[in-house]
Amino acid sequence: MSDPKFTPRVFSGMQPSGGLTLGNYLGAMKRWVDMQNAGTHQTIYCMVDLHAITAKLQDPDTLRESTREVCAGYIAAGIDPERSILFNQSQVAEHTQLAWIFNCVARMGWMGRMTQWKDKAGKNAENASLGLFAYPALMAADILVYHATHVPVGEDQKQHLELTRDIAAKFNHDYGVDFFPITEPVIEGAATRVMNLQDGTKKMSKSDPSDRTRINLTDDADTIAKKIRKAKTDPDPLPDTIKGLDGRPEARNLVNIYAGLAEVTPAEVVAQHAGSQFGHFKVALADLAVEKLASISSEMARLMDDKAEIDRILRRGAERAREIASPILDQTYDIVGMLR
Ligand code: TYM
């Protein structure tokens, strides 16, 4: 349960590096829309452009364009920039200001244990950027500069959210305060880890060199249907219980994607399609995916026609974000002993 001392507030973010995938949609965006519509929390959603430059050099024009495209994706998926606060991270300087304090709270050992650091820096850590190493401290600042109580994300962000809790707890303990909330990760639903369409043991990712491994939110109906038809499966039909998906990662992935899109449980999908050959199931899945996703890509294209409007939405969102972040940063500086 979250601490009643804090306003119920959701924060989540996405890197504007490359396009949006079905994984981003089912693991994050769709659930952000649900949380916005539930009306139980204030909702704040962000394009984390400062995170996007940690792993590799981004072409400046492409980065600006991707930031707009992700913004268009959020809105097309159902984020309302009036009901939620929608902005890009670099426009609210409080994120990096708090991140510096957290760089001094977090320990080198904590950062070195992050699997994302190990995966991305690999054997070449000497050559990785300092920003990539400090990435999770900036992520903690993104969340805690709003005193966010809940963070909806996909499974792959779990470790970073545990670190966010550790940073909040260490800050509170070191300074003898109860100032930062211990944020709750919200990792829920059938599709918290959408897998690669050609290899069910790997995560679906925008950075995979092969486009056949993922569905992009910008794919048209034909492309979506074709990618699903060509997705790898095994020769057996759908089982009649979830247990029957054990050891069948590709089959499990398609069932989870169906469940995520249809907003039912994987057990319900299996019950409905038990005994079906994957050839048939894929047709049903392709129809469902086209029905749910095709309107997002056309709406994104429409929104991208008016870039000045997107920029205006982001500036306005940043102003609203700053109104919350600025007093929290001031109080943090005061706690730490910075003369104001
Ligand atoms: P990013 O940009 O990699 O992904 C954005 C969101 O999409 C989810 N996601 C997936 N979910 C299910 N299956 C997949 N295949 C899949 N691929 C991506 C991610 O879990 C994430 O929720 N570090 C974050 C960005 C970030 C952030 C934050 C998130 C920065 N600050 C503060 C939350 C709060 C990242 O790189 O996400």
Side-chain angles (χ1 to χ4, degrees), residues 91-104:
Q91 291 206 61
V92 181
E94 282 79 357
H95 289 233
T96 41
Q97 291 174 288
L98 184 60
W100 181 259
I101 304 285
F102 288 170
N103 283 344
C104 302

Side-chain angles (χ1 to χ4, degrees), residues 51-336:
H51 278 115
I53 60 169
T54 54
K56 65 174 177 61
L57 186 70
Q58 303 278 348
D59 170 70
D61 287 333
T62 310
L63 179 58
R64 271 186 283 273
E65 202 59 3
S66 292
T67 304
R68 293 189 183 108
E69 193 178 272
V70 173
C71 177
Y74 285 7
I75 297 173
I79 300 294
D80 172 351
E82 295 302 320
R83 290 171 70 193
S84 292
I85 297 179
L86 184 55
F87 69 105
N88 60 308
Q89 186 188 32
S90 60
Q91 291 206 61
V92 181
E94 282 79 357
H95 289 233
T96 41
Q97 291 174 288
L98 184 60
W100 181 259
I101 304 285
F102 288 170
N103 283 344
C104 302
V105 172
R107 306 288 95 183
M108 298 279 282
W110 298 1
M111 301 308 217
R113 280 193 285 278
M114 293 293 110
T115 51
Q116 178 182 288
W117 161 253
K118 291 193 229 168
D119 290 349
K120 291 203 174 163
K123 293 202 176 68
N124 202 10
E126 288 290 313
N127 224 1
S129 77
L130 191 52
L132 186 65
F133 192 66
Y135 181 116
L138 177 58
M139 180 161 161
D142 296 337
I143 296 165
L144 294 172
V145 82
Y146 301 100
H147 277 182
T149 53
H150 293 83
V151 183
V153 285
E155 179 70 38
D156 59 347
Q157 296 302 313
K158 191 165 178 225
Q159 196 187 32
H160 285 155
L161 294 186
E162 279 160 9
L163 189 93
T164 299
R165 293 163 66 94
D166 290 345
I167 289 177
K170 181 161 165 37
F171 181 97
N172 288 345
H173 176 265
D174 286 354
Y175 291 100
V177 290
D178 181 16
F179 183 64
F180 285 116
I182 306 301
T183 302
E184 293 291 335
V186 185
I187 304 174
E188 284 169 4
T192 54
R193 190 169 176 80
V194 177
M195 308 308 275
N196 179 310
L197 295 178
Q198 298 299 328
D199 178 352
T201 63
K202 284 198 210 151
K203 194 182 75 162
M204 181 181 286
S205 158
K206 53 193 156 200
S207 55
D208 193 292
S210 164
D211 196 55
R212 292 187 313 143
T213 61
R214 63 177 160 264
I215 292 175
N216 306 300
L217 291 194
T218 47
D219 286 343
D220 60 24
D222 282 351
T223 313
I224 295 173
K226 195 160 151 211
K227 285 180 177 172
I228 292 178
R229 249 190 350 263
K230 300 230 155 132
K232 186 176 166 203
T233 37
D234 56 48
D236 295 334
L238 269 101
D240 45 18
T241 64
I242 277 291
K243 196 90 192 76
L245 292 171
D246 287 355
R248 301 175 63 188
E250 285 83 16
R252 181 184 294 277
N253 188 36
L254 294 185
V255 167
N256 286 351
I257 292 175
Y258 192 106
L261 288 169
E263 301 184 49
V264 298
T265 63
E268 286 170 297
V269 177
V270 166
Q272 199 189 341
H273 294 272
S276 228
Q277 289 300 327
F278 266 93
H280 287 117
F281 180 69
K282 282 178 178 178
V283 174
L285 178 58
D287 287 348
L288 178 66
V290 167
E291 177 197 324
K292 300 281 179 180
L293 303 177
S295 64
I296 298 181
S297 73
S298 56
E299 179 63 2
M300 271 173 83
R302 193 189 65 76
L303 291 162
M304 284 297 279
D305 274 346
D306 190 353
K307 293 188 184 142
E309 173 64 5
I310 294 186
D311 294 358
R312 195 196 60 74
I313 289 172
L314 293 178
R315 274 197 303 275
R316 171 77 190 117
E319 267 169 40
R320 291 170 65 202
R322 236 176 277 127
E323 277 167 26
I324 305 172
S326 174
I328 293 177
L329 181 75
D330 277 346
Q331 289 173 65
T332 311
Y333 274 2
D334 193 42
I335 291 168
V336 174

